[in-house]
Amino acid sequence: SLFDGSGEEEYPPFAVNRAEEYPRADILRIEKELLGFYFSGHPMDEWRKIWERCSDADLAHPERSSPDKTYTVIAMLKEFREIFTKAGKKMAFGALEDPAGSIEIVVFADALEKWRDKLVVDSVLCLKGKIDLTRGNPSLKVEEFVDPGTLREKSYKEVHLRLGQAPSAEEELYPLRDALFDEPGSCSVYFHLGREPGAGPSRREAVVKANVQITCSASEEALERLRAVPPVIEAWRD
C-alpha cells in the first residue's frame, strides 16, 4: 500500500502469442516421451484402412503363418538394433507392432544396407518377407521395403458416384460410360440415385452396384474426370 500512488504496475499484463498446432506425429511423439504411452491417438490411426486392406499377416497369431508364403506387413517399428555378423557385416533385429499384435523381424546385411535409412523406430513401415517358425518365436525375415504411402491408392476398393437428375434417355449416360472405360482399375462402381445436394438426411437414396465388368481407377485424376461428366454431382472413393 506504500506504493499505491506510484502508478507503476508490479506485474505487466500477460500476453499469449498464438502459434500453429504441432503436427500430429510430433504430438504423439511428445506424448510418448512424457507419458510413456500415446494419449490422443496412435501413429497407425491414419494407416488403419491401408492396414486392414493390404496387410495379410495376422500378427495376433503369427504362429499360424505359412512358411512358404511371402507376407505384406504394415506395422510400427517398436525396436531396432544392429549387430555385426562373424563375417564382419551388419544385420539387424527388431520388433513390429500393429493393432492386432506384434512380431520380431530379422534384416539381413543386403536388405539392411539398402533400406537402413527407412528403418526408424516409431515409424510405420510396410515390409514384405517370409515368416520363420523354426526358431522359437515367429519372426519376419525382411525381403523388401515398400513405401506405405504408395499403397493408399491400391487400398481403395470402391468408387461411388452420386447422380443428379435422372437422364431422359440412355444416350445421355454414354459420356459417363466412356469415362469409366477410359479410367481402368480394380474398384467396383456404385451409383447413388434420388438425393440432391443439400437434401436432409430424411431424403433416402438408392444405391446401385454396377455390373462386375464395370470397374475403374480410384486415382484422384480419375475422380476429377468423373465429377466433370453429367449427371455426376459427387464422386468419392472408399
Side-chain angles (χ1 to χ4, degrees):
S1 61
L2 293 175
F3 303 100
D4 282 347
S6 66
E8 296 183 6
E9 295 185 39
E10 186 175 357
Y11 299 105
F14 184 76
V16 177
N17 294 325
R18 293 188 175 274
E20 293 185 4
E21 180 67 279
Y22 282 113
R24 179 170 175 77
D26 289 346
I27 292 175
L28 293 175
R29 175 181 54 78
I30 294 170
E31 288 177 355
K32 185 66 179 296
E33 290 176 354
L34 297 179
L35 303 176
F37 57 89
Y38 299 111
F39 178 76
S40 62
H42 191 278
M44 281 202 66
D45 287 348
E46 64 174 299
W47 304 100
R48 190 171 187 91
K49 278 195 173 182
I50 297 177
W51 168 73
E52 291 173 347
R53 294 170 175 174
C54 299
S55 186
D56 56 6
D58 181 6
L59 299 195
H61 302 285
E63 70 280 358
R64 301 177 184 175
S65 305
S66 170
D68 299 321
K69 178 179 177 180
T70 298
Y71 287 92
T72 299
V73 178
I74 299 172
M76 187 169 65
L77 186 64
K78 298 295 293 181
E79 300 173 13
F80 185 72
R81 66 186 186 280
E82 298 182 21
I83 66 168
F84 281 100
T85 66
K86 292 181 179 180
K89 293 185 177 181
K90 276 190 174 183
M91 65 177 295
F93 297 92
L96 295 174
E97 180 182 287
D98 72 7
S102 60
I103 192 171
E104 298 175 359
I105 64 169
V106 180
V107 188
F108 292 104
D110 291 345
L112 179 61
E113 183 177 353
K114 191 172 183 179
W115 295 304
R116 177 183 282 107
D117 62 325
K118 306 291 185 182
L119 298 166
V120 179
V121 172
D122 289 339
S123 63
V124 176
L125 307 176
C126 176
L127 303 174
K128 291 188 176 185
K130 292 184 172 62
I131 294 180
D132 184 3
L133 304 174
T134 63
R135 303 185 181 186
N137 294 330
S139 60
L140 177 73
K141 296 189 292 185
V142 177
E143 298 175 355
E144 183 181 354
F145 174 90
V146 180
D147 181 355
T150 63
L151 298 177
R152 285 191 186 277
E153 213 166 277
K154 295 180 182 179
S155 72
Y156 294 112
K157 302 298 182 184
E158 301 171 358
V159 168
H160 293 256
L161 304 175
R162 178 166 286 124
L163 306 185
Q165 187 175 359
S168 57
E170 179 182 342
E171 291 77 10
E172 294 180 25
L173 291 174
Y174 288 172
L176 176 56
R177 176 201 63 186
D178 294 342
L180 288 169
F181 288 157
D182 288 343
E183 298 292 345
S186 59
C187 290
S188 301
V189 178
Y190 292 81
F191 299 105
H192 295 247
L193 311 167
R195 185 177 177 186
E196 298 179 356
S202 60
R203 178 70 179 273
R204 293 187 176 183
E205 66 180 5
V207 181
V208 180
K209 183 179 180 180
N211 188 288
V212 293
Q213 296 179 344
I214 301 178
T215 58
C216 75
S217 167
S219 69
E220 190 56 44
E221 293 78 10
L223 293 181
E224 282 298 324
R225 179 177 180 185
L226 291 171
R227 292 185 185 110
V229 179
V232 177
I233 55 177
E234 289 183 73
W236 68 96
R237 54 196 177 185
D238 192 11

